[in-house]
Amino acid sequence: MAFVNEDNITDLAMQRWGTAHSPRTAELMSAFVRHLHAFAREVHLTEEEWAAAMNWLAATGQISDEKRQEFILASDVVGLSMLVVQLNNRFSEQATPATVLGPFHIDGSPPAEFGHDMAAGIEGTPLFITGTVTDTEGKPVPGAVLDVWQADADGNYESQLPEIDEARLRAKYQAREDGSYCVRTIAPRGYSIPMDGPVGDLIRTTDISHFRPAHVHFMLEEPGYQKLITHLFQEGAEYLDSDVVFGTKDALVVPFVEHQAGPSPDGGRLDRPFLHATFDFVLEQKS
Ligand code: BEZ
Ligand code: FE
């Protein structure tokens, strides 16, 4: 092997990582090494800066556990998560666009009937979200599962609260024969991403807003269709144009229309004012 100097180290490291047994790993690691070295050259990385970066990465790992994934948050705030979503969800124009999953989805939410209140007993303004699930030709997709989750009015998700023993602000709805669905919940609020770790420390050194606009998360699944992970955002909400994780899209912003007490979209009646958003999800067929 040639001895190392500043000029040949990148090629040598790429060759070495290009021996990975899986061709894809070889491709990923060689390109990673190439870009990493180019970065260090471009900014002329100092030894102090390199050591600070290593300490920051170590702290990011140390604060992570089965409930908190600080590396995902780091990927979110630099726009990498959203870029990966865009690269891998190039749906046709008619289909509902995808956005970031975020770190707060919990598998195995309980099944919910049409109109079920997934916020029962939780403070907040009632919100109904109704509409249909269809394919890109407008044909209903009966049985499509809509896995829905959101934060409470204080911006906390279930996984951020201690000792919760039943599903909180999450449920799995199903589209009916005509593709219709009805979610009952409470109005979400904009909230801050967790700022008590290394990602927060870094953000505080910038002018970056650490808030997300008010939204409800959806994951739609049905055999034969591409899985859709997306959100609905409240029209007029604060932070729509500065979402810290780059997740907002025009097509996902919907009005939350105010209604007085009276007939409600689940076919019942409500004795207090409520909000109603309508949104028709369009799934892309698998090719
Ligand atoms: C969320 O919307 O739940 C979220 C997404 C990315 C980072 C933090 C939170
Ligand atoms: Fe969220």
Side-chain angles (χ1 to χ4, degrees):
M1 188 189 107
F3 289 116
V4 171
N5 60 44
E6 191 182 320
D7 295 327
N8 68 7
I9 188 163
T10 302
D11 286 343
L12 289 171
M14 283 176 62
Q15 274 165 23
R16 200 174 275 184
W17 282 99
T19 66
H21 303 165
S22 136
R24 179 61 176 160
T25 306
E27 183 186 2
L28 291 171
M29 287 308 297
S30 317
F32 184 63
V33 164
R34 178 160 43 88
H35 286 281
L36 216 48
H37 285 217
F39 165 75
R41 286 183 213 283
E42 183 186 319
V43 301
H44 196 110
L45 193 66
T46 68
E47 285 164 303
E48 291 74 23
E49 288 162 347
W50 174 83
M54 293 302 117
N55 286 336
W56 186 87
L57 288 169
T60 300
Q62 281 152 2
I63 204 169
S64 299
D65 58 24
E66 68 283 351
K67 285 198 161 177
R68 177 164 186 169
Q69 238 294 13
E70 192 81 354
F71 278 111
I72 294 185
L73 192 61
S75 159
D76 294 339
V77 300
V78 297
L80 180 61
S81 307
M82 195 56 195
L83 174 60
V84 173
V85 167
Q86 319 239 37
L87 291 173
N88 290 282
N89 295 272
R90 289 186 176 139
F91 299 153
S92 52
E93 224 176 275
Q94 309 91 293
T96 304
T99 188
V100 280
L101 171 66
F104 300 121
H105 176 257
I106 298 178
D107 283 333
S109 284
E113 296 292 318
F114 185 90
H116 167 78
D117 184 3
M118 70 175 203
I122 301 173
E123 243 354 65
T125 307
L127 166 68
F128 290 89
I129 308 175
T130 64
T132 56
V133 183
T134 67
D135 67 13
T136 50
E137 268 123 47
K139 212 161 75 9
V141 184
V145 173
L146 301 97
D147 187 350
V148 188
W149 71 104
Q150 71 169 83
D152 64 19
D154 296 323
N156 287 315
Y157 283 84
E158 182 185 315
S159 65
Q160 294 174 292
L161 298 170
E163 286 163 32
I164 302 284
D165 51 15
E166 59 181 19
R168 186 174 192 271
L169 286 168
R170 60 187 176 94
K172 273 186 184 171
Y173 296 81
Q174 232 177 341
R176 301 195 293 191
E177 264 322 291
D178 60 355
S180 63
Y181 72 89
C182 175
V183 173
R184 179 171 169 184
T185 181
I186 50 169
R189 294 234 186 104
Y191 61 81
S192 168
I193 56 162
M195 287 293 286
D196 57 345
V199 171
D201 291 342
L202 204 52
I203 286 188
R204 267 189 292 277
T205 67
T206 71
D207 289 336
I208 297 171
S209 154
H210 50 94
F211 289 91
R212 298 216 63 208
H215 61 273
V216 178
H217 294 257
F218 286 81
M219 183 187 293
L220 278 81
E221 280 187 279
E222 174 65 11
Y225 295 87
Q226 311 253 25
K227 178 167 162 173
L228 172 66
I229 296 175
T230 195
H231 307 353
L232 296 182
F233 296 92
Q234 180 175 16
E235 189 179 88
E238 224 179 329
Y239 317 118
L240 274 175
D241 55 5
S242 63
D243 183 6
V244 61
V245 304
F246 305 92
T248 321
K249 287 183 177 240
D250 260 354
L252 303 175
V253 177
V254 288
F256 287 13
V257 180
E258 289 179 25
H259 289 264
Q260 291 313 310
S264 52
D266 56 350
R269 284 187 75 79
L270 227 63
D271 58 6
R272 57 190 171 124
F274 61 91
L275 297 167
H276 183 195
T278 52
F279 190 82
D280 295 332
F281 289 98
V282 179
L283 299 182
E284 180 89 6
Q285 288 92 323
K286 270 193 181 147
S287 42

